[in-house]
Amino acid sequence: MDNKIMISLNGIDKIYRTKEVETQALENVNLNVKKGEFLSIMGPSGCGKSTLLNIIGLLDLPSAGTVEIDGTQTKGMSDRQLAAFRNKMIGFVFQSFHLINSLNVIDNVEVPLLYRKISSKERTRLATEVLEKVGLSHRLHHMPSELSGGQCQRVAIARAIIGDPEIILADEPTGNLDSKMGGEVMDILHRLNKEENRTIVMVTHNEAQAKQTSRVVRFFDGRQIV
Amino acid sequence: MRKYIKQIWVHLSHDPLVSSITIIGTALALFLIMLVVMIEQVKYEPFSPESNRDRFMHARFMSVTNAKWGDGSSNGPMSIETAKALYKSLKTPEAVTLYANDNPAVASVAGGTTFVADILQTDADFWKVFDFDFINGAPYGKADFDAGIKEAVIIKSLALRLFGTPDVAGREFMINYTAYKVAGVVKDVSTLASKAYSQIWIPYTCTDVEKNTWSRCGGSFSTTILARRHDDFPKIREEYGKLLALYNKKIGESGWKILSRNRPYIQEKEAFTFSANHEVNMKAKHRDRYIILIILLLVPAINLSSMTQSRLQHRNAEIGVRRSFGCTRREILIDIINENLIITLIAGALGLIMSIAFAYWGTDILFAQPFSNSLSSPTIDTSILLHASTFIYAIVFCFILNLLCSYIPAWRASKTSIINALGGMNH
Amino acid sequence: MNKKLFRQIRNEWKSNLWLIAELLLISVVMWYILDFIYVKASIFYQPRGFDISHCYLLRMGRLDPKSPKYMAKDTTESEDIRNILTRIRHRPEVEAASLSANSYPYNGSNSSTSIRYDTLQNNNWLIRRLVTPDFLRVFKYEGSRGETPSQLASMMDNKSIMASNNIFKKKYHIKLTTLVGKKVIWGDDTTTRYKLAAAYTPVRYDDYSEAYHSYSMLYKLPEGWYTTDNNLELCIRVKPSMDHDFIKKLWKDCERHINTGNVYITNITSFKDVRKKFQQYQSNQIRNFVTGIIFLLLNIFLGLLGTFWFRTQQRRSEIALQMALGSTRRQIFLRQISEGIIILVLASIPAIIIDLNIAYAGLTQYMHGATLQPGRFIITVSATFLISAIMIIIGDWFPARKATKVQPAEALHED
């Protein structure tokens, strides 16, 4: 772990408004994540941890405050700039995998590369490589519906890292898995953190998993309490 | 590309009802649009013997008025004198032909059965303007025409009925109980070649059709002009203007005046011209055509776009995933439109095939010509029905239909926030 | 229950509004086309005033002097024509045969004229038909006082005329029957008076023209008109029992038994063909409109099917909940359908107002000189509503059936 700051959140507020109700999801969140850190975010349901992850991942805009990723200010970026930035810097792992059901494993993994100028041959090569890394080189042409939950999540991780992003954002990656499969997924994430020095931010409910990470932050009612 | 199609197949089979409505609706729309296109095309796309339609100008009628008549006019085919003065004397065109329509004639061979056949009386230049397919013999030439020698060109099926064989050049038969020699036999002509069509052609010098005159300039003759080039039309009009002025000066001495009504007309305008006493408003005709096409595109597009919307709803999560991995809104929009285009093209091809099949099967319903002299049904073949432009139109209409039915849903899908998309919600 | 239904429709107003707009557009377009077809069909089926079944049209020509058959004058052309008519009349299958000029039905060549009586003068396009008396028997014209075609024919002479009952009707609201026996002025000749021998039921110009707009008069074909230059028509009515292959048989006999002198038959056509040819333009137009409406209906049907499929699909858990709470399938089904019908009613109200304005503005077809007629409007509007309703019911039936077949637990779980 070096001392370079990868993610810097300053004074983040997030307020959801409907006609009648105003909900404060995040209130004045300040958080720095260093390069190579494995950060866990914990807290009860509805505490705003997923919202925070979305804001870090540039999927959602904060109502106030700024997000800096790798020293770049993201405020005011256009849709196209945000898309390019996500593509280069961030890989997502979702609780419900979100694989594209109409594509097979290798095509799913290639998705992030579709938005870069890379030949299809090179795409296939890279996809095969990352699938090997997650131990799925024998399942390249299966459809998602033919895989177990753990396998699906490994495909999702392969998809998250194929673009070689600095940051991996994982939203309860083991939430839909049994403990054995969950353990396998966690192993892969730790390996990616240690061996490849990737910065990982993970939302989790699992205390044991959180303990194995380098830092835990806790949220309650939209505020950081630890 | 294969990946694309495979993916489309997976999406289509996800909800068979919505997918079949999409495909049936698209095919149906294109089917009807292409029928409209084909009905229009037979009127002005070239095919033998009217292969030079793009170089044709026609004057089926003339309109004449007299100083004593006020606003009144007399309208109809021309007398031979008028036709010669106004059209046959033109120098710019490659050829000008005069011809006279008549009631069907009675044809027979000595001792044989009598047949009724459509007959057209022409000059020798007729065979230069129109490109007939001669099976036997040759057309009558200028010398024979000038001498009024009784010769006729007939179609193959009539030759078969009269003589039992198509190789009958030189043999004799009776037209209206007068003897004619067969000069040549041509392949049967579709009534859709509305100018060239007949079953018998004879030189008009063989009959007294030239004597039929009325209202000073009226008679039995119409004309078709073959320009050397498509862009010669203005030059021909200019020369025609001079001839008209000259002729009007001549007949003006006794109070007569030819009203030009912007004649001669190009093929498309001629195709819409039914009455002799007024000029077709092509702008209005074009407007009608656009309105029909717009209705035929818009009505199904409204349906299809809700189908597209419904198909996209299943794919919200996918769109969210793609966006989170760096796909821009624009790329989402373009991807959806492209994907839909493939569906539209496939369904459109189906529609096109349906319309071609229907055109063959329902010629009499589809192409029956109004105000035609003949009782024969129109015949159709590929050279009449299918042109490069037919396919271009089909593809263009597919593109438009696709844009109409996919743009709004695609735009909405691309605007949904990523988080909502991942959550599967649409709003 | 119904109050709840309305409240739900109101709560989902956003998606319903879209559906209402769709139905509104559909019902206006559908009404317009139905109205067009209604007018065309009711005009088409009005009494025609003549009958062309078993009728044939013959045309005559004169031989070319160079023809080997040409004979130097021993009979006049007028005698030849008369002979041909007699020969045809004597054929056993012929019921009646007549000569006429510009007179047969479905004919684009017409002569027009005028009739005056006292201060009354027709202001319409009045067609002059010069005919031999048998013409009335061939086409079965009927007198307005119940005269049979034969009775009418016997009244015809060269000092009197007959005219259709309606020539003064539109302008003066006078039926011509009331003037029968009076002397009238015919055409430009103001010195001679002609007796109005009879009035007859209006004879329509063609199948797409109303009797209301078809005016005609008859006069006996004068002797001087018997030449081929006048392009005379020889019309024949054949006895129905003997109307087999008439054209073929007649052609066979033409050369030896019918043609005479220098006059010969050039063409024989059944009136069925004459009619088809003459009306091709209109029938093409009708064809286009009918195709149009079938296409439209299909599209509307597919669209509604899709829309309701979609709605029901989205409500699967709601339907399941209702079933779990004890609703029967029938009740759910009825509820779905009533919702569709209520939305259709909501769309139909503005649609009818728009229809009314379109008709009032004279943008629809004219019938009896009007575009807005109460009976016609009610019929076409109700037909539009009925067809839409049927399509909504079918479009609802499929998906609703499928939704109610699902086990409640399963559907609830899915959501």
Side-chain angles (χ1 to χ4, degrees):
Chain A
M1 209 190 301
D2 46 42
N3 281 328
K4 190 179 170 198
I5 291 183
M6 206 62 214
I7 302 165
S8 168
L9 305 181
N10 302 305
I12 298 288
D13 280 355
K14 181 68 190 179
I15 299 165
Y16 289 110
R17 285 192 185 84
T18 61
K19 243 181 263 162
E20 285 99 26
V21 205
E22 213 171 78
T23 320
Q24 178 114 30
L26 292 172
E27 196 181 329
N28 193 25
V29 176
N30 295 288
L31 183 69
N32 286 334
V33 184
K34 287 183 193 142
K35 182 169 165 65
E37 204 173 353
F38 195 150
L39 179 76
S40 297
I41 301 174
M42 295 198 71
S45 288
C47 69
K49 46 190 197 308
S50 289
T51 307
L52 184 71
L53 204 67
N54 289 338
I55 286 174
I56 297 172
L58 308 175
L59 301 181
D60 205 353
L61 294 173
S63 310
T66 57
V67 182
E68 271 179 47
I69 308 271
D70 199 13
T72 309
Q73 178 58 256
T74 60
K75 201 172 183 162
M77 279 187 170
S78 67
D79 173 59
R80 181 187 281 220
Q81 287 167 319
L82 284 172
F85 204 77
R86 276 196 297 267
N87 184 266
K88 205 174 83 197
M89 294 297 294
I90 303 166
F92 292 91
V93 179
F94 304 100
Q95 179 180 1
S96 49
F97 328 135
H98 282 319
L99 296 181
I100 298 170
N101 287 326
S102 52
L103 296 177
N104 65 17
V105 166
I106 193 159
D107 290 341
N108 260 294
V109 173
E110 281 180 21
V111 164
L113 299 185
L114 294 178
Y115 312 110
R116 297 183 184 182
K117 283 192 181 110
I118 290 180
S119 73
S120 76
K121 226 181 190 173
E122 179 69 3
R123 281 204 304 264
T124 318
R125 192 184 65 76
L126 286 169
T128 323
E129 204 179 290
V130 291
L131 279 164
E132 220 161 283
K133 226 183 256 179
V134 298
L136 282 175
S137 44
H138 57 300
R139 289 275 190 269
L140 299 186
H141 299 288
H142 284 63
M143 296 306 276
S145 53
E146 297 161 341
L147 302 180
S148 71
Q151 287 171 327
C152 281
Q153 197 60 301
R154 275 145 68 191
V155 174
I157 293 173
R159 177 176 64 186
I161 59 174
I162 191 171
D164 196 21
E166 290 282 352
I167 301 164
I168 294 172
L169 301 177
D171 191 355
E172 295 191 43
T174 61
N176 281 3
L177 304 176
D178 62 28
S179 59
K180 184 172 168 277
M181 287 177 178
E184 283 170 20
V185 165
M186 285 310 295
D187 285 349
I188 294 173
L189 287 177
H190 279 290
R191 228 169 51 223
L192 290 171
N193 175 242
K194 298 237 165 64
E195 292 169 13
E196 301 180 8
N197 200 26
R198 291 184 208 274
T199 312
I200 301 181
V201 179
M202 174 177 79
V203 167
T204 182
H205 279 298
N206 187 323
E207 283 287 348
Q209 280 177 9
K211 266 183 196 154
Q212 295 168 7
T213 62
S214 37
R215 180 153 64 113
V216 181
V217 292
R218 289 174 198 275
F219 274 77
F220 189 77
D221 267 359
R223 279 185 298 262
Q224 189 182 339
I225 49 174
V226 178
Chain B
M1 189 68 188
R2 248 188 69 203
K3 224 181 269 175
Y4 240 154
I5 290 176
K6 219 171 97 193
Q7 208 181 345
I8 289 169
W9 177 247
V10 174
H11 290 311
L12 286 179
S13 46
H14 181 85
D15 194 340
L17 184 89
V18 169
S19 309
S20 25
I21 291 180
T22 305
I23 289 171
I24 295 171
T26 310
L28 203 66
L30 214 80
F31 166 68
L32 218 61
I33 289 170
M34 288 317 290
L35 285 187
V36 171
V37 167
M38 283 172 180
I39 289 174
E40 295 257 307
Q41 277 193 328
V42 297
K43 293 177 187 159
Y44 46 77
E45 284 287 337
F47 57 87
S48 167
E50 297 187 354
S51 300
N52 298 316
R53 279 179 165 184
D54 59 329
R55 291 194 281 144
F56 281 171
M57 294 174 102
H58 309 277
R60 199 179 345 160
F61 306 119
M62 62 86 218
S63 305
V64 66
T65 185
N66 192 289
K68 284 180 267 177
W69 294 356
D71 282 342
S73 65
S74 196
N75 306 273
M78 295 168 274
S79 73
I80 190 71
E81 183 219 324
T82 309
K84 278 181 173 163
L86 293 182
Y87 298 105
K88 193 74 187 175
S89 325
L90 288 169
K91 296 279 181 292
T92 327
E94 187 172 315
V96 178
T97 176
L98 303 182
Y99 45 86
N101 265 304
D102 202 351
N103 287 325
V106 184
S108 61
V109 284
T113 329
T114 314
F115 298 104
V116 181
D118 295 316
I119 189 164
L120 192 66
Q121 306 188 29
T122 77
D123 56 16
D125 284 335
F126 185 81
W127 307 104
K128 289 186 199 155
V129 172
F130 300 106
D131 55 319
F132 285 88
D133 204 343
F134 274 85
I135 296 171
N136 190 234
Y140 39 83
K142 186 160 188 322
D144 287 1
F145 167 79
D146 288 339
I149 292 174
K150 289 190 164 34
E151 284 181 311
V153 172
I154 59 176
I155 55 165
K156 186 180 165 195
S157 62
L158 183 65
L160 286 175
R161 274 192 290 172
L162 287 170
F163 301 101
T165 157
D167 303 320
V168 292
R171 288 175 70 174
E172 216 171 65
F173 73 114
M174 312 286 275
I175 300 175
N176 291 338
Y177 304 103
T178 305
Y180 280 77
K181 206 175 83 183
V182 177
V185 180
V186 293
K187 249 174 69 183
D188 284 25
V189 180
S190 173
T191 46
L192 294 173
S194 56
K195 300 296 160 196
Y197 167 80
S198 191
Q199 294 172 319
I200 303 176
W201 297 263
I202 59 168
Y204 65 72
T205 43
C206 294
T207 67
D208 47 12
V209 65
E210 290 174 73
K211 289 186 201 144
N212 174 25
T213 56
W214 43 274
S215 297
R216 179 63 181 81
C217 300
S220 309
F221 286 90
S222 305
T223 183
T224 294
I225 299 164
L226 177 65
R228 281 177 210 283
R229 277 185 311 278
H230 182 79
D231 16 319
D232 266 359
F233 289 165
K235 250 160 84 190
I236 292 173
R237 282 186 203 288
E238 197 184 316
E239 194 192 350
Y240 168 76
K242 284 180 197 150
L243 291 179
L244 179 66
L246 215 67
Y247 188 65
N248 267 339
K249 204 173 153 201
K250 180 180 152 201
I251 62 174
E253 285 162 14
S254 37
W256 295 96
K257 184 175 182 249
I258 293 270
L259 305 170
S260 127
R261 300 203 203 281
N262 288 322
R263 293 180 179 113
Y265 300 148
I266 58 165
Q267 179 72 29
E268 189 193 6
K269 189 167 179 178
E270 174 68 12
F272 284 106
T273 301
F274 291 128
S275 58
N277 56 359
H278 87 253
E279 186 186 344
V280 178
N281 180 351
M282 284 314 284
K283 263 196 190 138
K285 291 283 172 199
H286 285 146
R287 195 192 55 214
D288 291 354
R289 184 192 299 163
Y290 294 137
I291 289 174
I292 289 169
L293 287 177
I294 286 170
I295 291 176
L296 290 182
L297 281 168
L298 269 187
V299 171
I302 293 172
N303 286 334
L304 292 173
S305 93
S306 63
M307 296 302 123
T308 314
Q309 173 107 33
S310 139
R311 277 187 296 124
L312 285 181
Q313 215 125 29
H314 298 302
R315 300 176 56 189
N316 254 325
E318 176 189 334
I319 291 167
V321 170
R322 286 184 184 275
R323 296 250 339 256
S324 53
F325 282 105
C327 184
T328 61
R329 294 200 153 114
R330 226 179 100 84
E331 283 167 319
I332 292 279
L333 186 79
I334 291 170
D335 263 3
I336 295 172
I337 291 176
N338 278 344
E339 204 179 291
N340 203 61
L341 178 64
I342 293 176
I343 300 175
T344 312
L345 283 176
I346 292 169
L350 200 70
L352 180 65
I353 292 168
M354 273 157 60
S355 65
I356 293 169
F358 188 78
Y360 273 97
W361 172 71
T363 34
D364 206 29
I365 309 171
L366 223 48
F367 302 112
Q369 301 292 292
F371 310 112
S372 121
N373 253 339
S374 170
L375 272 178
S376 329
S377 298
T379 51
I380 211 104
D381 62 46
T382 18
S383 74
I384 300 177
L385 201 59
L386 299 179
H387 308 271
S389 57
T390 318
F391 298 100
I392 294 171
Y393 278 123
I395 290 171
V396 167
F397 284 119
C398 275
F399 269 98
I400 299 175
L401 191 62
N402 173 51
L403 266 189
L404 285 174
C405 67
S406 68
Y407 189 82
I408 293 177
W411 184 79
R412 283 182 63 176
S414 75
K415 284 291 165 210
T416 314
S417 83
I418 302 176
I419 296 168
N420 285 344
L422 284 172
M425 280 144 50
N426 201 27
H427 302 290
Chain C
M1 183 74 189
N2 266 339
K3 236 187 213 165
K4 218 181 98 203
L5 192 58
F6 275 112
R7 224 176 300 140
Q8 192 170 7
I9 290 175
R10 205 186 54 209
N11 290 343
E12 292 176 0
W13 68 271
K14 217 172 167 184
S15 67
N16 283 334
L17 201 67
W18 180 243
L19 186 58
I20 288 175
E22 193 181 336
L23 284 172
L24 171 70
L25 183 79
I26 285 165
S27 50
V28 172
V29 175
M30 187 149 72
W31 167 77
Y32 187 86
I33 298 179
L34 279 179
D35 185 69
F36 178 90
I37 290 177
Y38 175 84
V39 169
K40 292 289 169 186
S42 42
I43 290 176
F44 193 89
Y45 289 109
Q46 277 175 10
R48 293 195 170 79
F50 61 89
D51 177 9
I52 57 150
S53 53
H54 313 293
C55 286
Y56 295 87
L57 174 66
L58 269 63
R59 292 289 199 174
M60 291 168 288
R62 182 197 302 142
L63 284 180
D64 188 292
K66 288 173 215 157
S67 164
K69 296 203 169 196
Y70 188 83
M71 287 180 283
K73 307 253 166 191
D74 52 347
T75 52
T76 63
E77 192 165 293
S78 140
E79 281 167 344
D80 292 342
I81 291 173
R82 225 178 289 266
N83 277 336
I84 288 181
L85 183 64
T86 315
R87 287 175 178 197
I88 285 181
R89 268 195 190 132
H90 284 151
R91 290 177 72 86
E93 68 266 40
V94 170
E95 191 175 306
S98 67
L99 284 173
S100 52
N102 290 353
S103 298
Y104 66 89
Y106 308 113
N107 174 11
S109 292
N110 309 282
S111 312
S112 63
T113 186
S114 63
I115 290 178
R116 267 187 285 165
Y117 171 73
D118 206 12
T119 56
L120 308 181
Q121 176 165 17
N122 72 295
N123 64 336
N124 311 303
W125 191 49
L126 178 63
I127 295 173
R128 180 195 73 185
R129 299 204 164 113
L130 300 178
V131 303
T132 59
D134 267 355
F135 183 86
L136 296 132
R137 290 178 55 218
V138 172
F139 294 111
K140 296 195 169 163
Y141 278 36
E142 273 168 13
S144 57
R145 293 185 297 186
E147 298 98 327
T148 62
S150 307
Q151 284 169 334
L152 274 186
S154 65
M155 292 176 193
M156 193 170 254
D157 60 46
N158 54 17
K159 290 193 186 67
S160 65
I161 62 163
M162 296 177 189
S164 58
N165 201 11
N166 59 349
I167 62 171
F168 292 147
K169 196 171 169 201
K170 198 153 125 198
K171 198 171 171 192
Y172 308 104
H173 305 288
I174 292 172
K175 283 186 181 171
L176 201 67
T177 324
T178 56
L179 303 177
V180 168
K182 302 275 199 305
K183 299 269 188 184
V184 298
I185 297 172
W186 169 43
D188 298 332
D189 178 10
T190 48
T191 54
T192 328
R193 294 286 187 278
Y194 291 85
K195 192 180 119 187
L196 185 66
Y200 54 85
T201 317
V203 168
R204 282 164 58 192
Y205 185 67
D206 61 24
D207 296 344
Y208 299 101
S209 308
E210 296 180 76
Y212 183 79
H213 290 301
S214 303
Y215 312 97
S216 63
M217 58 81 57
L218 295 170
Y219 181 69
K220 196 174 168 192
L221 183 72
E223 300 285 318
W225 278 69
Y226 283 53
T227 102
T228 49
D229 292 334
N230 284 325
N231 210 2
L232 290 183
E233 59 248 10
L234 205 165
C235 301
I236 303 174
R237 168 169 293 278
V238 173
K239 290 171 188 158
S241 56
M242 299 176 82
D243 189 10
H244 314 290
D245 293 328
F246 178 73
I247 295 182
K248 221 168 144 191
K249 286 183 204 156
L250 198 63
W251 269 129
K252 224 165 152 190
D253 292 348
C254 266
E255 206 177 333
R256 272 194 286 157
H257 303 299
I258 295 177
N259 295 349
T260 171
N262 294 326
V263 178
Y264 64 94
I265 304 294
T266 61
N267 201 0
I268 310 170
T269 328
S270 77
F271 265 95
K272 231 170 85 188
D273 286 338
V274 172
R275 171 178 159 196
K276 178 175 181 276
K277 208 167 103 174
F278 182 70
Q279 299 188 143
Q280 193 69 60
Y281 184 75
Q282 285 104 319
S283 41
N284 280 358
Q285 210 184 5
I286 301 276
R287 167 203 72 192
N288 294 346
F289 266 83
V290 170
T291 322
I293 195 164
I294 292 174
F295 172 74
L296 204 69
L297 289 180
L298 263 171
N299 262 295
I300 293 169
F301 176 68
L302 288 178
L304 288 178
L305 189 69
T307 309
F308 281 99
W309 171 262
F310 196 45
R311 284 166 75 90
T312 322
Q313 198 85 323
Q314 281 185 322
R315 285 197 193 153
R316 279 175 63 154
S317 58
E318 187 194 320
I319 289 174
L321 188 69
Q322 281 174 353
M323 282 172 73
L325 294 177
S327 218
T328 63
R329 293 209 160 103
R330 210 181 129 79
Q331 280 170 330
I332 288 170
F333 185 57
L334 277 177
R335 195 182 167 283
Q336 287 291 112
I337 291 203
S338 355
E339 188 189 345
I341 300 292
I342 289 169
I343 289 174
L344 176 63
V345 170
L346 291 179
S348 292
I349 293 166
I352 291 171
I353 295 171
I354 294 172
D355 297 346
L356 205 61
N357 279 293
I358 292 175
Y360 184 75
L363 297 173
T364 51
Q365 295 291 308
Y366 279 83
M367 188 161 74
H368 290 294
T371 52
L372 184 57
Q373 298 158 296
R376 163 180 158 196
F377 190 76
I378 290 168
I379 290 171
T380 50
V381 162
S382 347
T384 308
F385 184 84
L386 212 68
I387 295 175
S388 313
I390 290 171
M391 287 193 306
I392 286 179
I393 290 170
I394 300 175
D396 232 353
W397 186 76
F398 257 129
R401 216 175 92 101
K402 218 179 156 194
T404 53
K405 281 230 166 117
V406 174
Q407 291 305 315
E410 198 181 311
L412 280 172
H413 179 75
E414 258 179 34
D415 229 45

